[in-house]
Amino acid sequence: MESSLPLILDRTAGLPLHLQLAEQFRAAIRDGRLQAGHRLTSTRDLARELSVSRSVTQAAYDQLHAEGWIEGRTGAGTYVTDVAPLQPAVRRPVRPPAVEKQLLTLRPGIPYISATPDPGWRRAWREVSTQSPPRGYDEAAGLPALREALAEHVGRVRGIACGPENLLVTNGTVHGLRLLLAVTRRPGDRIAIEDPGYLNAVVAARDHHLEIVDVPVDEDGLRVSELPLEVPAVYVTPSHQYPLGGRLPVARRNELIRWARRTGAMLIEDDYDSEFRYDVAPLPALAQLDLDRVVHLGTLSKTLSPALRLGWLVASDTMITRLADFRAESGDWPAWPMQAALLAMLRDGYLDQSIRRSRRLYADRRTHTCATLAPYGQIIGQDAGLHITLVLPNHVDDHQLAADALQAGVVIAPLSEYRRTTPGPPGLVIGYATPSTPDLHKALDILVQVLQRHEPPRT
Ligand SMILES: Cc1ncc(COP(=O)(O)O)c(C=O)c1O
């Protein structure tokens, strides 16, 4: 019997002939040209008709058979089935990407990353590429040698007396925080969080169904005296309050530790950008004061890149064991190559060198940013980190200001975005690290024009 279908095989198409054939049968059954019960040409006749080997037609029929489009009746030929096979999911057409206007960003949080990787970076990755991976799962707390190196690092840089048993390698601050909440908190537990504060910490607490207690912040950081007694956990950014930028003074740090010892609460210290401070003395990490009450979170997101998704958590050895046990079951810890590369970077002094270089770069940018914006409001939080906050008069709508800046080509964060229930003045949170220096200057020039429309410079 001759095939009633016009079948075309293209030997130059790159798609195997049996798949081309099968697809033409599918299309014919789908659109009704071949009806249920229709008898197909035998594989031998079809092969002859198409001048292909029989294995091609056989493979096409086998495929259609396996997918349920056709059925064979022993000794009686091959027929189109009367059960309509499941239609394949229709792929949604991909919308062509919108042509984006080139935006300059002053949003806080991302460090400057040079387009050319430097030798220390390349050396670390080369070293990783020459090693075989571990034979099985590696340790849930992190590579032992890396935990050792990190203990040395946080001891030297943050003054925290600890050993590898106090260290857990994480995929960054938020990962560490979520792990800690999952292991130590129960739904409905209360947690105090700075207001205004870090949005991702708030989201993490909400996701764990915790009741969030908003604690006010002033230019020195968390108002410790306003912590209610019955809160079993506090999330705090003492080295550079996010977003207002206060550095918690020693007296308040001591008060916070005394409060935690009295109430038994856990203090979660987010030390996200402590590596950067300008012309001011270092302040002790809370973890330096009491590792039994404090869980300390460090990250590479501000020193090397947030894309590395790598950080560390420092806590008592019993807490580390609890967290590592949980992780051993969830299988959720940083990949071996990342850990191995960080180990090489720490060992070779690349991280220290990179921080020193960035600090010099940011110091100049910070000075320029403060000088440019000082006429438009009160600058706070400029002693540390990668951002400053420009506090504006009460009548300014900072969301509108950010929208106008965006319209003019600059992305910026309004301060109100970080506020929850504690009222306070409007403002802008300005990251000066991300763009190149010429782009920073350009972005600030644009921002000044927008600011002038909202708030004339103070004389
Ligand atoms: C307050 C605060 N903590 C932590 C981080 C970094 O989080 P991660 O280490 O998860 O990238 C940021 C980044 O913007 C931050 O603003």
Side-chain angles (χ1 to χ4, degrees):
M1 185 198 300
E2 240 183 81
S3 162
S4 50
L5 276 183
L7 295 164
I8 299 160
L9 296 180
D10 179 359
R11 288 170 200 279
T12 63
L15 189 67
L17 296 180
H18 72 282
L19 294 184
Q20 294 186 32
L21 203 50
E23 181 45 32
Q24 290 176 59
F25 275 110
R26 275 191 217 100
I29 299 171
R30 251 190 247 117
D31 64 23
R33 279 177 291 148
L34 289 181
Q35 300 275 331
H38 177 91
R39 183 175 178 184
L40 298 186
T41 313
S42 73
T43 53
R44 181 174 296 132
D45 290 347
L46 186 59
R48 203 176 306 121
E49 241 178 69
L50 296 173
S51 307
V52 295
S53 89
R54 192 170 164 211
S55 62
V56 170
T57 52
Q58 187 64 55
Y61 278 26
D62 286 350
Q63 180 70 31
L64 293 166
H65 197 270
E67 292 173 13
W69 298 91
I70 59 175
E71 60 191 353
R73 299 189 199 139
T74 325
T78 303
Y79 295 84
V80 175
T81 52
D82 57 3
V83 182
L86 205 57
Q87 295 291 325
V90 179
R91 263 176 87 195
R92 246 176 283 136
V94 181
R95 221 185 293 151
V99 186
E100 277 200 5
K101 192 157 91 172
Q102 273 298 321
L103 293 173
L104 298 165
T105 186
L106 293 176
R107 268 197 87 85
I110 315 276
Y112 176 66
I113 292 163
S114 152
T116 343
D118 41 44
W121 171 267
R122 290 206 303 266
R123 201 178 322 120
W125 289 105
R126 230 178 3 251
E127 184 177 317
V128 176
S129 74
T130 60
Q131 300 170 43
S132 297
R135 288 241 163 85
Y137 293 91
D138 54 14
E139 287 198 28
L143 295 182
L146 177 57
R147 294 167 70 201
E148 189 102 38
L150 281 171
E152 188 280 325
H153 178 77
V154 296
R156 181 165 48 79
V157 177
R158 300 299 287 126
I160 304 170
C162 63
E165 67 283 5
N166 301 112
L167 252 302
L168 185 100
V169 188
T170 66
N171 287 330
T173 315
V174 176
H175 179 244
L177 174 63
R178 283 177 174 264
L179 169 69
L180 184 67
L181 298 182
V183 173
T184 65
R185 304 291 109 195
R186 283 207 300 265
D189 280 358
R190 304 177 87 206
I191 183 167
I193 301 186
E194 299 159 331
D195 183 14
Y198 183 37
L199 297 174
N200 288 3
V202 173
V203 173
R206 285 199 186 125
D207 285 350
H208 283 88
H209 308 287
L210 304 185
E211 184 191 327
I212 298 170
V213 178
D214 298 338
V215 185
V217 169
D218 60 24
E219 60 283 0
D220 281 338
L222 183 80
R223 296 240 287 262
V224 178
S225 58
E226 302 209 20
L227 278 170
L229 273 183
E230 62 293 358
V231 173
V234 180
Y235 163 89
V236 59
T237 49
S239 66
H240 191 222
Q241 201 277 328
Y242 194 80
L244 293 187
R247 302 174 71 232
L248 204 65
V250 171
R252 267 202 215 176
R253 287 174 194 249
N254 292 345
E255 188 190 347
L256 183 57
I257 294 284
R258 270 197 297 274
W259 173 87
R261 286 181 181 159
R262 204 167 57 243
T263 62
M266 170 199 284
L267 303 176
I268 305 167
E269 175 175 40
D270 179 352
D271 203 47
Y272 67 106
D273 67 1
S274 68
E275 291 85 355
F276 301 104
R277 94 193 119 69
Y278 314 98
D279 311 323
V280 286
L283 291 164
L286 293 178
Q288 184 182 337
L289 304 173
D290 191 338
L291 210 48
D292 283 329
R293 296 261 58 87
V294 179
V295 174
H296 175 97
L297 299 167
T299 182
L300 287 183
S301 290
K302 312 294 153 181
T303 50
L304 290 184
S305 164
L308 289 176
R309 304 315 301 131
L310 216 48
W312 51 89
L313 180 154
V314 189
S316 67
D317 53 349
T318 47
M319 177 64 79
I320 296 293
T321 307
R322 272 178 82 187
L323 299 174
D325 286 350
F326 179 87
R327 277 215 314 210
E329 284 169 10
S330 60
D332 172 27
W333 63 87
W336 170 80
M338 310 303 299
Q339 297 194 57
L342 175 57
L343 176 58
M345 290 177 202
L346 285 166
R347 190 203 53 217
D348 294 351
Y350 173 67
L351 182 62
D352 289 337
Q353 178 205 329
S354 173
I355 292 171
R356 276 197 303 274
R357 201 177 34 210
S358 304
R359 209 181 273 145
R360 283 194 296 273
L361 178 71
Y362 298 154
D364 288 345
R365 291 185 180 187
R366 177 197 72 124
T367 306
H368 177 74
T369 307
C370 291
T372 310
L373 299 178
Y376 300 92
Q378 183 199 1
I379 289 173
I380 58 172
Q382 69 271 44
D383 289 339
L386 311 181
H387 74 268
I388 57 145
T389 298
L390 179 69
V391 179
L392 294 164
N394 278 325
H395 62 84
V396 175
D397 176 347
D398 56 11
H399 277 286
Q400 187 56 53
L401 212 160
D404 292 351
L406 186 64
Q407 194 65 32
V410 175
V411 188
I412 196 149
L415 176 55
S416 336
E417 187 178 300
Y418 300 90
R419 295 195 188 281
R420 299 192 302 280
T421 54
T422 312
L428 296 175
V429 185
I430 299 157
Y432 47 78
T434 319
S436 65
T437 302
D439 277 353
L440 174 69
H441 288 217
K442 249 189 261 169
L444 287 172
D445 288 347
I446 295 172
L447 181 60
V448 160
Q449 289 167 24
V450 177
L451 275 163
Q452 276 170 345
R453 277 190 263 140
H454 283 257
E455 180 60 16
R458 297 182 301 187
T459 46

